[in-house]
Amino acid sequence: MITCSMIEIKSGKVIRILDENSAISIVLVDISHKAEKAINYNYMTGQIKIGDFVYLNTSAATLSLGTGGFHFVIANLANRETAFSAKGHGMKLKYTPMQVQVQFIEEDTERNLNCFNKPLMLGEKVVIFSELHSMLPPICAYLKELSDKQLKLSYIMTDHGALPMWFSKNVQTVREKGLLDCTISSGNAFGADFECVNIYTSLQTASLLSDIIIISMGPGIIGTNSKYGFSALELAFYINLVSKHGGKCVFVPRISFADKRVRHYGVSHHSLTMVSEMLDRPVFFTLPYLDDKSERFFISQLREAGALPFVKLSIYDGTDIIEVIKKHCPDITTMGRTYLEDPCFFYTIGASCKKAYSLF
């Protein structure tokens, strides 16, 4: 007898709709579990209502993972059959029970984007690489403020975090506020304005539609307390790709004095590992100016990691990003910490955005 050991599945009854929009519904479920909230992706499992009986993937909640406050609806017994409503014959989440139909921009003959038959040419386009998804709202808000909302920004979400873009409240926030002009989901990520097969065609699409490109995975990064076992490592390979094809790469380092874990104190080992061991060419790397002691500490970390030859180092005062955060995204947190609890993290974003804007 074969038993399912990779997914925990439970059933329950929907007793309340907590929040919803066209793409996602958050519901309260009558279920024998410590967590009772569930997410329904309306485009995948259909609309949901009070009284519906649902099957739930409860794995993350049982393991108390970062997204473990929610279960995910696998099937709604009220929606026994559904039909396609979109064009295209592409698939994401391929060969899994939840594979979804998408229309890849690469196959959209109506748009006739001939760039997909030509090599990628970024022409000194500025591309910002952010290690954490929580960096996205302050990056967008600050760049819009610096340019008086003149810059067009696109965001490429990779498939090393949450795969449905609908899950991201950060994306929803910046889109509603007019701080982000275009979204692109790459690889097996899905749910953006444009679906792309890979990072190469994602960059081709973004370069046509925006002045500055932002690349980051969705929420829910993976870290394993090992040197190389973290999801953001992918960014190093994308930096190499962009550099090779003429882009100006600005890496936003992960810096914090509030994180008491030694490997993430100051400049995170994630940032140091990527820069010192994975890059083919130097990348723009900006430190926040706090005081001389902090500056020396950051540079000593870079030196000890062997990263200095691989960075185009600059230092900017990014403290004024806090006023922008208060204005546009006051509820933003990183690893559960607010801008009051971890200001250096956000100062780094401000400093990096100033560098990116200076390159535009």
Side-chain angles (χ1 to χ4, degrees), residues 74-109:
I74 299 173
N76 183 345
L77 296 185
N79 301 323
R80 294 182 181 274
E81 294 185 2
T82 60
F84 291 135
S85 60
K87 299 178 181 179
H89 65 277
M91 303 297 293
K92 293 201 175 186
L93 305 184
K94 297 180 292 291
Y95 306 106
T96 72
M98 297 304 291
Q99 62 183 357
V100 294
Q101 176 215 30
V102 300
Q103 181 175 32
F104 289 114
I105 186 64
E106 298 95 328
E107 66 172 340
D108 189 346
T109 55

PDB file of all heavy atoms in Angstrom, residues 74-109:
ATOM      1  N   ILE A  74      -6.864  22.958  -1.873  1.00  0.00           N
ATOM      2  CA  ILE A  74      -6.518  22.094  -2.997  1.00  0.00           C
ATOM      3  C   ILE A  74      -7.725  21.896  -3.903  1.00  0.00           C
ATOM      4  O   ILE A  74      -7.614  21.924  -5.130  1.00  0.00           O
ATOM      5  CB  ILE A  74      -6.026  20.719  -2.504  1.00  0.00           C
ATOM      6  CG1 ILE A  74      -4.770  20.868  -1.648  1.00  0.00           C
ATOM      7  CG2 ILE A  74      -5.790  19.775  -3.671  1.00  0.00           C
ATOM      8  CD1 ILE A  74      -4.341  19.570  -0.988  1.00  0.00           C
ATOM      9  N   ALA A  75      -8.879  21.702  -3.280  1.00  0.00           N
ATOM     10  CA  ALA A  75     -10.101  21.468  -4.055  1.00  0.00           C
ATOM     11  C   ALA A  75     -11.301  21.928  -3.252  1.00  0.00           C
ATOM     12  O   ALA A  75     -11.323  21.832  -2.016  1.00  0.00           O
ATOM     13  CB  ALA A  75     -10.241  19.990  -4.414  1.00  0.00           C
ATOM     14  N   ASN A  76     -12.293  22.443  -3.952  1.00  0.00           N
ATOM     15  CA  ASN A  76     -13.557  22.884  -3.360  1.00  0.00           C
ATOM     16  C   ASN A  76     -14.649  21.991  -3.921  1.00  0.00           C
ATOM     17  O   ASN A  76     -14.888  21.959  -5.140  1.00  0.00           O
ATOM     18  CB  ASN A  76     -13.812  24.352  -3.730  1.00  0.00           C
ATOM     19  CG  ASN A  76     -15.070  24.907  -3.096  1.00  0.00           C
ATOM     20  OD1 ASN A  76     -15.915  24.169  -2.591  1.00  0.00           O
ATOM     21  ND2 ASN A  76     -15.213  26.226  -3.121  1.00  0.00           N
ATOM     22  N   LEU A  77     -15.310  21.232  -3.062  1.00  0.00           N
ATOM     23  CA  LEU A  77     -16.312  20.273  -3.525  1.00  0.00           C
ATOM     24  C   LEU A  77     -17.511  20.951  -4.172  1.00  0.00           C
ATOM     25  O   LEU A  77     -18.283  20.302  -4.873  1.00  0.00           O
ATOM     26  CB  LEU A  77     -16.765  19.384  -2.368  1.00  0.00           C
ATOM     27  CG  LEU A  77     -15.680  18.483  -1.770  1.00  0.00           C
ATOM     28  CD1 LEU A  77     -16.275  17.564  -0.704  1.00  0.00           C
ATOM     29  CD2 LEU A  77     -14.992  17.666  -2.848  1.00  0.00           C
ATOM     30  N   ALA A  78     -17.654  22.266  -3.964  1.00  0.00           N
ATOM     31  CA  ALA A  78     -18.736  22.998  -4.626  1.00  0.00           C
ATOM     32  C   ALA A  78     -18.400  23.296  -6.089  1.00  0.00           C
ATOM     33  O   ALA A  78     -19.289  23.622  -6.880  1.00  0.00           O
ATOM     34  CB  ALA A  78     -19.023  24.303  -3.891  1.00  0.00           C
ATOM     35  N   ASN A  79     -17.130  23.180  -6.444  1.00  0.00           N
ATOM     36  CA  ASN A  79     -16.683  23.446  -7.819  1.00  0.00           C
ATOM     37  C   ASN A  79     -16.140  22.153  -8.417  1.00  0.00           C
ATOM     38  O   ASN A  79     -14.939  21.952  -8.522  1.00  0.00           O
ATOM     39  CB  ASN A  79     -15.603  24.531  -7.828  1.00  0.00           C
ATOM     40  CG  ASN A  79     -16.079  25.836  -7.233  1.00  0.00           C
ATOM     41  OD1 ASN A  79     -17.224  26.225  -7.414  1.00  0.00           O
ATOM     42  ND2 ASN A  79     -15.196  26.517  -6.516  1.00  0.00           N
ATOM     43  N   ARG A  80     -17.048  21.271  -8.800  1.00  0.00           N
ATOM     44  CA  ARG A  80     -16.626  19.956  -9.273  1.00  0.00           C
ATOM     45  C   ARG A  80     -16.041  20.002 -10.675  1.00  0.00           C
ATOM     46  O   ARG A  80     -15.265  19.132 -11.062  1.00  0.00           O
ATOM     47  CB  ARG A  80     -17.796  18.977  -9.216  1.00  0.00           C
ATOM     48  CG  ARG A  80     -18.252  18.695  -7.779  1.00  0.00           C
ATOM     49  CD  ARG A  80     -19.381  17.694  -7.708  1.00  0.00           C
ATOM     50  NE  ARG A  80     -19.796  17.459  -6.332  1.00  0.00           N
ATOM     51  CZ  ARG A  80     -19.234  16.582  -5.507  1.00  0.00           C
ATOM     52  NH1 ARG A  80     -18.215  15.844  -5.933  1.00  0.00           N
ATOM     53  NH2 ARG A  80     -19.686  16.438  -4.288  1.00  0.00           N
ATOM     54  N   GLU A  81     -16.419  21.012 -11.453  1.00  0.00           N
ATOM     55  CA  GLU A  81     -15.863  21.168 -12.788  1.00  0.00           C
ATOM     56  C   GLU A  81     -15.605  22.641 -13.060  1.00  0.00           C
ATOM     57  O   GLU A  81     -16.380  23.503 -12.644  1.00  0.00           O
ATOM     58  CB  GLU A  81     -16.822  20.614 -13.857  1.00  0.00           C
ATOM     59  CG  GLU A  81     -17.026  19.116 -13.784  1.00  0.00           C
ATOM     60  CD  GLU A  81     -17.891  18.603 -14.927  1.00  0.00           C
ATOM     61  OE1 GLU A  81     -18.289  19.421 -15.795  1.00  0.00           O
ATOM     62  OE2 GLU A  81     -18.158  17.391 -14.947  1.00  0.00           O
ATOM     63  N   THR A  82     -14.504  22.933 -13.746  1.00  0.00           N
ATOM     64  CA  THR A  82     -14.206  24.298 -14.173  1.00  0.00           C
ATOM     65  C   THR A  82     -13.734  24.247 -15.621  1.00  0.00           C
ATOM     66  O   THR A  82     -13.388  23.177 -16.137  1.00  0.00           O
ATOM     67  CB  THR A  82     -13.116  24.953 -13.305  1.00  0.00           C
ATOM     68  OG1 THR A  82     -11.917  24.180 -13.407  1.00  0.00           O
ATOM     69  CG2 THR A  82     -13.551  25.046 -11.848  1.00  0.00           C
ATOM     70  N   ALA A  83     -13.699  25.411 -16.273  1.00  0.00           N
ATOM     71  CA  ALA A  83     -13.280  25.480 -17.672  1.00  0.00           C
ATOM     72  C   ALA A  83     -12.243  26.583 -17.843  1.00  0.00           C
ATOM     73  O   ALA A  83     -12.187  27.530 -17.059  1.00  0.00           O
ATOM     74  CB  ALA A  83     -14.479  25.739 -18.574  1.00  0.00           C
ATOM     75  N   PHE A  84     -11.416  26.452 -18.884  1.00  0.00           N
ATOM     76  CA  PHE A  84     -10.450  27.498 -19.193  1.00  0.00           C
ATOM     77  C   PHE A  84     -11.166  28.791 -19.540  1.00  0.00           C
ATOM     78  O   PHE A  84     -12.219  28.793 -20.180  1.00  0.00           O
ATOM     79  CB  PHE A  84      -9.583  27.107 -20.404  1.00  0.00           C
ATOM     80  CG  PHE A  84      -8.637  25.970 -20.147  1.00  0.00           C
ATOM     81  CD1 PHE A  84      -8.508  24.941 -21.067  1.00  0.00           C
ATOM     82  CD2 PHE A  84      -7.864  25.932 -19.005  1.00  0.00           C
ATOM     83  CE1 PHE A  84      -7.617  23.896 -20.860  1.00  0.00           C
ATOM     84  CE2 PHE A  84      -6.972  24.898 -18.784  1.00  0.00           C
ATOM     85  CZ  PHE A  84      -6.857  23.873 -19.707  1.00  0.00           C
ATOM     86  N   SER A  85     -10.546  29.903 -19.137  1.00  0.00           N
ATOM     87  CA  SER A  85     -11.097  31.209 -19.512  1.00  0.00           C
ATOM     88  C   SER A  85     -10.042  32.097 -20.143  1.00  0.00           C
ATOM     89  O   SER A  85     -10.337  33.219 -20.524  1.00  0.00           O
ATOM     90  CB  SER A  85     -11.686  31.915 -18.281  1.00  0.00           C
ATOM     91  OG  SER A  85     -10.692  32.114 -17.297  1.00  0.00           O
ATOM     92  N   ALA A  86      -8.826  31.595 -20.257  1.00  0.00           N
ATOM     93  CA  ALA A  86      -7.730  32.404 -20.782  1.00  0.00           C
ATOM     94  C   ALA A  86      -7.180  31.806 -22.070  1.00  0.00           C
ATOM     95  O   ALA A  86      -7.423  30.643 -22.392  1.00  0.00           O
ATOM     96  CB  ALA A  86      -6.607  32.504 -19.748  1.00  0.00           C
ATOM     97  N   LYS A  87      -6.435  32.626 -22.806  1.00  0.00           N
ATOM     98  CA  LYS A  87      -5.774  32.152 -24.011  1.00  0.00           C
ATOM     99  C   LYS A  87      -4.480  31.432 -23.633  1.00  0.00           C
ATOM    100  O   LYS A  87      -4.076  31.402 -22.490  1.00  0.00           O
ATOM    101  CB  LYS A  87      -5.450  33.332 -24.929  1.00  0.00           C
ATOM    102  CG  LYS A  87      -6.657  34.123 -25.415  1.00  0.00           C
ATOM    103  CD  LYS A  87      -6.207  35.287 -26.274  1.00  0.00           C
ATOM    104  CE  LYS A  87      -7.395  36.114 -26.751  1.00  0.00           C
ATOM    105  NZ  LYS A  87      -6.960  37.267 -27.577  1.00  0.00           N
ATOM    106  N   GLY A  88      -3.832  30.902 -24.666  1.00  0.00           N
ATOM    107  CA  GLY A  88      -2.521  30.329 -24.454  1.00  0.00           C
ATOM    108  C   GLY A  88      -2.556  28.837 -24.204  1.00  0.00           C
ATOM    109  O   GLY A  88      -3.558  28.283 -23.748  1.00  0.00           O
ATOM    110  N   HIS A  89      -1.438  28.171 -24.503  1.00  0.00           N
ATOM    111  CA  HIS A  89      -1.362  26.735 -24.250  1.00  0.00           C
ATOM    112  C   HIS A  89      -0.118  26.385 -23.437  1.00  0.00           C
ATOM    113  O   HIS A  89       0.325  25.250 -23.422  1.00  0.00           O
ATOM    114  CB  HIS A  89      -1.350  25.968 -25.578  1.00  0.00           C
ATOM    115  CG  HIS A  89      -0.144  26.203 -26.429  1.00  0.00           C
ATOM    116  ND1 HIS A  89      -0.018  27.285 -27.265  1.00  0.00           N
ATOM    117  CD2 HIS A  89       1.014  25.497 -26.551  1.00  0.00           C
ATOM    118  CE1 HIS A  89       1.150  27.231 -27.883  1.00  0.00           C
ATOM    119  NE2 HIS A  89       1.794  26.166 -27.464  1.00  0.00           N
ATOM    120  N   GLY A  90       0.437  27.399 -22.743  1.00  0.00           N
ATOM    121  CA  GLY A  90       1.572  27.138 -21.870  1.00  0.00           C
ATOM    122  C   GLY A  90       1.124  26.610 -20.520  1.00  0.00           C
ATOM    123  O   GLY A  90      -0.031  26.763 -20.117  1.00  0.00           O
ATOM    124  N   MET A  91       2.029  25.965 -19.818  1.00  0.00           N
ATOM    125  CA  MET A  91       1.730  25.438 -18.494  1.00  0.00           C
ATOM    126  C   MET A  91       2.816  25.870 -17.509  1.00  0.00           C
ATOM    127  O   MET A  91       3.999  25.947 -17.851  1.00  0.00           O
ATOM    128  CB  MET A  91       1.670  23.903 -18.511  1.00  0.00           C
ATOM    129  CG  MET A  91       0.679  23.309 -19.492  1.00  0.00           C
ATOM    130  SD  MET A  91      -1.040  23.746 -19.140  1.00  0.00           S
ATOM    131  CE  MET A  91      -1.294  22.889 -17.588  1.00  0.00           C
ATOM    132  N   LYS A  92       2.382  26.176 -16.297  1.00  0.00           N
ATOM    133  CA  LYS A  92       3.307  26.356 -15.178  1.00  0.00           C
ATOM    134  C   LYS A  92       2.905  25.383 -14.073  1.00  0.00           C
ATOM    135  O   LYS A  92       1.805  24.862 -14.068  1.00  0.00           O
ATOM    136  CB  LYS A  92       3.302  27.804 -14.697  1.00  0.00           C
ATOM    137  CG  LYS A  92       3.882  28.770 -15.757  1.00  0.00           C
ATOM    138  CD  LYS A  92       4.351  30.080 -15.163  1.00  0.00           C
ATOM    139  CE  LYS A  92       5.034  30.941 -16.226  1.00  0.00           C
ATOM    140  NZ  LYS A  92       5.634  32.162 -15.661  1.00  0.00           N
ATOM    141  N   LEU A  93       3.809  25.138 -13.150  1.00  0.00           N
ATOM    142  CA  LEU A  93       3.681  24.026 -12.197  1.00  0.00           C
ATOM    143  C   LEU A  93       3.497  22.725 -12.960  1.00  0.00           C
ATOM    144  O   LEU A  93       2.697  21.863 -12.595  1.00  0.00           O
ATOM    145  CB  LEU A  93       2.499  24.247 -11.236  1.00  0.00           C
ATOM    146  CG  LEU A  93       2.456  25.535 -10.450  1.00  0.00           C
ATOM    147  CD1 LEU A  93       1.270  25.528  -9.483  1.00  0.00           C
ATOM    148  CD2 LEU A  93       3.741  25.749  -9.680  1.00  0.00           C
ATOM    149  N   LYS A  94       4.262  22.578 -14.025  1.00  0.00           N
ATOM    150  CA  LYS A  94       4.084  21.480 -14.974  1.00  0.00           C
ATOM    151  C   LYS A  94       4.186  20.107 -14.312  1.00  0.00           C
ATOM    152  O   LYS A  94       5.014  19.886 -13.434  1.00  0.00           O
ATOM    153  CB  LYS A  94       5.133  21.583 -16.081  1.00  0.00           C
ATOM    154  CG  LYS A  94       5.012  22.858 -16.910  1.00  0.00           C
ATOM    155  CD  LYS A  94       6.065  22.936 -18.017  1.00  0.00           C
ATOM    156  CE  LYS A  94       7.462  23.107 -17.498  1.00  0.00           C
ATOM    157  NZ  LYS A  94       7.670  24.436 -16.881  1.00  0.00           N
ATOM    158  N   TYR A  95       3.324  19.200 -14.763  1.00  0.00           N
ATOM    159  CA  TYR A  95       3.319  17.801 -14.339  1.00  0.00           C
ATOM    160  C   TYR A  95       3.095  17.641 -12.837  1.00  0.00           C
ATOM    161  O   TYR A  95       3.565  16.679 -12.231  1.00  0.00           O
ATOM    162  CB  TYR A  95       4.617  17.103 -14.783  1.00  0.00           C
ATOM    163  CG  TYR A  95       4.873  17.254 -16.266  1.00  0.00           C
ATOM    164  CD1 TYR A  95       5.855  18.117 -16.736  1.00  0.00           C
ATOM    165  CD2 TYR A  95       4.097  16.573 -17.201  1.00  0.00           C
ATOM    166  CE1 TYR A  95       6.074  18.288 -18.102  1.00  0.00           C
ATOM    167  CE2 TYR A  95       4.304  16.733 -18.565  1.00  0.00           C
ATOM    168  CZ  TYR A  95       5.292  17.593 -19.008  1.00  0.00           C
ATOM    169  OH  TYR A  95       5.498  17.753 -20.350  1.00  0.00           O
ATOM    170  N   THR A  96       2.403  18.593 -12.251  1.00  0.00           N
ATOM    171  CA  THR A  96       1.946  18.450 -10.871  1.00  0.00           C
ATOM    172  C   THR A  96       0.419  18.469 -10.887  1.00  0.00           C
ATOM    173  O   THR A  96      -0.196  18.915 -11.862  1.00  0.00           O
ATOM    174  CB  THR A  96       2.451  19.601  -9.979  1.00  0.00           C
ATOM    175  OG1 THR A  96       1.738  20.805 -10.306  1.00  0.00           O
ATOM    176  CG2 THR A  96       3.947  19.828 -10.168  1.00  0.00           C
ATOM    177  N   PRO A  97      -0.232  18.025  -9.838  1.00  0.00           N
ATOM    178  CA  PRO A  97      -1.701  18.050  -9.822  1.00  0.00           C
ATOM    179  C   PRO A  97      -2.295  19.442  -9.937  1.00  0.00           C
ATOM    180  O   PRO A  97      -3.481  19.578 -10.250  1.00  0.00           O
ATOM    181  CB  PRO A  97      -2.043  17.416  -8.461  1.00  0.00           C
ATOM    182  CG  PRO A  97      -0.872  16.573  -8.137  1.00  0.00           C
ATOM    183  CD  PRO A  97       0.314  17.316  -8.667  1.00  0.00           C
ATOM    184  N   MET A  98      -1.487  20.484  -9.687  1.00  0.00           N
ATOM    185  CA  MET A  98      -2.000  21.853  -9.734  1.00  0.00           C
ATOM    186  C   MET A  98      -1.459  22.631 -10.931  1.00  0.00           C
ATOM    187  O   MET A  98      -1.432  23.855 -10.918  1.00  0.00           O
ATOM    188  CB  MET A  98      -1.644  22.587  -8.437  1.00  0.00           C
ATOM    189  CG  MET A  98      -2.272  21.992  -7.191  1.00  0.00           C
ATOM    190  SD  MET A  98      -4.072  21.862  -7.284  1.00  0.00           S
ATOM    191  CE  MET A  98      -4.521  23.592  -7.241  1.00  0.00           C
ATOM    192  N   GLN A  99      -1.037  21.946 -11.997  1.00  0.00           N
ATOM    193  CA  GLN A  99      -0.512  22.666 -13.159  1.00  0.00           C
ATOM    194  C   GLN A  99      -1.579  23.623 -13.708  1.00  0.00           C
ATOM    195  O   GLN A  99      -2.772  23.304 -13.732  1.00  0.00           O
ATOM    196  CB  GLN A  99      -0.024  21.706 -14.232  1.00  0.00           C
ATOM    197  CG  GLN A  99      -1.059  20.792 -14.828  1.00  0.00           C
ATOM    198  CD  GLN A  99      -0.426  19.832 -15.833  1.00  0.00           C
ATOM    199  OE1 GLN A  99       0.766  19.898 -16.117  1.00  0.00           O
ATOM    200  NE2 GLN A  99      -1.225  18.929 -16.372  1.00  0.00           N
ATOM    201  N   VAL A 100      -1.127  24.806 -14.112  1.00  0.00           N
ATOM    202  CA  VAL A 100      -2.055  25.860 -14.523  1.00  0.00           C
ATOM    203  C   VAL A 100      -1.747  26.315 -15.944  1.00  0.00           C
ATOM    204  O   VAL A 100      -0.597  26.313 -16.387  1.00  0.00           O
ATOM    205  CB  VAL A 100      -1.996  27.079 -13.569  1.00  0.00           C
ATOM    206  CG1 VAL A 100      -2.500  26.711 -12.189  1.00  0.00           C
ATOM    207  CG2 VAL A 100      -0.571  27.638 -13.482  1.00  0.00           C
ATOM    208  N   GLN A 101      -2.794  26.695 -16.655  1.00  0.00           N
ATOM    209  CA  GLN A 101      -2.657  27.189 -18.016  1.00  0.00           C
ATOM    210  C   GLN A 101      -2.329  28.673 -17.995  1.00  0.00           C
ATOM    211  O   GLN A 101      -2.944  29.442 -17.267  1.00  0.00           O
ATOM    212  CB  GLN A 101      -3.958  26.972 -18.786  1.00  0.00           C
ATOM    213  CG  GLN A 101      -3.948  27.542 -20.194  1.00  0.00           C
ATOM    214  CD  GLN A 101      -5.302  28.094 -20.616  1.00  0.00           C
ATOM    215  OE1 GLN A 101      -6.076  28.555 -19.786  1.00  0.00           O
ATOM    216  NE2 GLN A 101      -5.576  28.048 -21.900  1.00  0.00           N
ATOM    217  N   VAL A 102      -1.355  29.077 -18.804  1.00  0.00           N
ATOM    218  CA  VAL A 102      -1.014  30.484 -18.947  1.00  0.00           C
ATOM    219  C   VAL A 102      -0.777  30.783 -20.419  1.00  0.00           C
ATOM    220  O   VAL A 102      -0.550  29.874 -21.228  1.00  0.00           O
ATOM    221  CB  VAL A 102       0.256  30.873 -18.150  1.00  0.00           C
ATOM    222  CG1 VAL A 102       0.081  30.608 -16.671  1.00  0.00           C
ATOM    223  CG2 VAL A 102       1.488  30.149 -18.687  1.00  0.00           C
ATOM    224  N   GLN A 103      -0.819  32.061 -20.765  1.00  0.00           N
ATOM    225  CA  GLN A 103      -0.383  32.481 -22.089  1.00  0.00           C
ATOM    226  C   GLN A 103       0.967  33.159 -21.939  1.00  0.00           C
ATOM    227  O   GLN A 103       1.068  34.242 -21.374  1.00  0.00           O
ATOM    228  CB  GLN A 103      -1.366  33.443 -22.752  1.00  0.00           C
ATOM    229  CG  GLN A 103      -0.908  33.847 -24.151  1.00  0.00           C
ATOM    230  CD  GLN A 103      -1.908  34.702 -24.896  1.00  0.00           C
ATOM    231  OE1 GLN A 103      -2.630  35.480 -24.289  1.00  0.00           O
ATOM    232  NE2 GLN A 103      -1.954  34.556 -26.206  1.00  0.00           N
ATOM    233  N   PHE A 104       1.994  32.513 -22.425  1.00  0.00           N
ATOM    234  CA  PHE A 104       3.322  33.108 -22.372  1.00  0.00           C
ATOM    235  C   PHE A 104       3.387  34.291 -23.324  1.00  0.00           C
ATOM    236  O   PHE A 104       2.880  34.234 -24.443  1.00  0.00           O
ATOM    237  CB  PHE A 104       4.390  32.086 -22.759  1.00  0.00           C
ATOM    238  CG  PHE A 104       4.602  31.012 -21.732  1.00  0.00           C
ATOM    239  CD1 PHE A 104       4.284  29.691 -22.009  1.00  0.00           C
ATOM    240  CD2 PHE A 104       5.132  31.319 -20.489  1.00  0.00           C
ATOM    241  CE1 PHE A 104       4.483  28.695 -21.066  1.00  0.00           C
ATOM    242  CE2 PHE A 104       5.339  30.336 -19.538  1.00  0.00           C
ATOM    243  CZ  PHE A 104       5.014  29.021 -19.824  1.00  0.00           C
ATOM    244  N   ILE A 105       4.041  35.353 -22.871  1.00  0.00           N
ATOM    245  CA  ILE A 105       4.212  36.514 -23.737  1.00  0.00           C
ATOM    246  C   ILE A 105       5.023  36.131 -24.977  1.00  0.00           C
ATOM    247  O   ILE A 105       4.845  36.700 -26.064  1.00  0.00           O
ATOM    248  CB  ILE A 105       4.890  37.678 -22.959  1.00  0.00           C
ATOM    249  CG1 ILE A 105       4.945  38.951 -23.794  1.00  0.00           C
ATOM    250  CG2 ILE A 105       6.265  37.284 -22.478  1.00  0.00           C
ATOM    251  CD1 ILE A 105       3.621  39.550 -24.145  1.00  0.00           C
ATOM    252  N   GLU A 106       5.887  35.129 -24.840  1.00  0.00           N
ATOM    253  CA  GLU A 106       6.705  34.696 -25.971  1.00  0.00           C
ATOM    254  C   GLU A 106       5.858  34.103 -27.109  1.00  0.00           C
ATOM    255  O   GLU A 106       6.287  34.087 -28.262  1.00  0.00           O
ATOM    256  CB  GLU A 106       7.735  33.648 -25.529  1.00  0.00           C
ATOM    257  CG  GLU A 106       8.727  34.150 -24.502  1.00  0.00           C
ATOM    258  CD  GLU A 106       8.311  33.837 -23.078  1.00  0.00           C
ATOM    259  OE1 GLU A 106       7.083  33.806 -22.810  1.00  0.00           O
ATOM    260  OE2 GLU A 106       9.192  33.633 -22.235  1.00  0.00           O
ATOM    261  N   GLU A 107       4.663  33.590 -26.773  1.00  0.00           N
ATOM    262  CA  GLU A 107       3.814  32.977 -27.793  1.00  0.00           C
ATOM    263  C   GLU A 107       2.670  33.895 -28.234  1.00  0.00           C
ATOM    264  O   GLU A 107       1.824  33.494 -29.037  1.00  0.00           O
ATOM    265  CB  GLU A 107       3.218  31.666 -27.268  1.00  0.00           C
ATOM    266  CG  GLU A 107       2.240  31.861 -26.115  1.00  0.00           C
ATOM    267  CD  GLU A 107       1.507  30.580 -25.717  1.00  0.00           C
ATOM    268  OE1 GLU A 107       1.445  29.634 -26.528  1.00  0.00           O
ATOM    269  OE2 GLU A 107       0.979  30.549 -24.594  1.00  0.00           O
ATOM    270  N   ASP A 108       2.657  35.115 -27.709  1.00  0.00           N
ATOM    271  CA  ASP A 108       1.568  36.042 -28.016  1.00  0.00           C
ATOM    272  C   ASP A 108       1.795  36.673 -29.390  1.00  0.00           C
ATOM    273  O   ASP A 108       2.484  37.684 -29.527  1.00  0.00           O
ATOM    274  CB  ASP A 108       1.506  37.126 -26.927  1.00  0.00           C
ATOM    275  CG  ASP A 108       0.266  38.005 -27.060  1.00  0.00           C
ATOM    276  OD1 ASP A 108      -0.390  37.952 -28.106  1.00  0.00           O
ATOM    277  OD2 ASP A 108      -0.024  38.753 -26.112  1.00  0.00           O
ATOM    278  N   THR A 109       1.210  36.094 -30.413  1.00  0.00           N
ATOM    279  CA  THR A 109       1.423  36.568 -31.782  1.00  0.00           C
ATOM    280  C   THR A 109       0.761  37.920 -32.028  1.00  0.00           C
ATOM    281  O   THR A 109       1.165  38.669 -32.917  1.00  0.00           O
ATOM    282  CB  THR A 109       0.873  35.553 -32.792  1.00  0.00           C
ATOM    283  OG1 THR A 109      -0.517  35.289 -32.494  1.00  0.00           O
ATOM    284  CG2 THR A 109       1.651  34.246 -32.717  1.00  0.00           C
TER     285      THR A 109
END
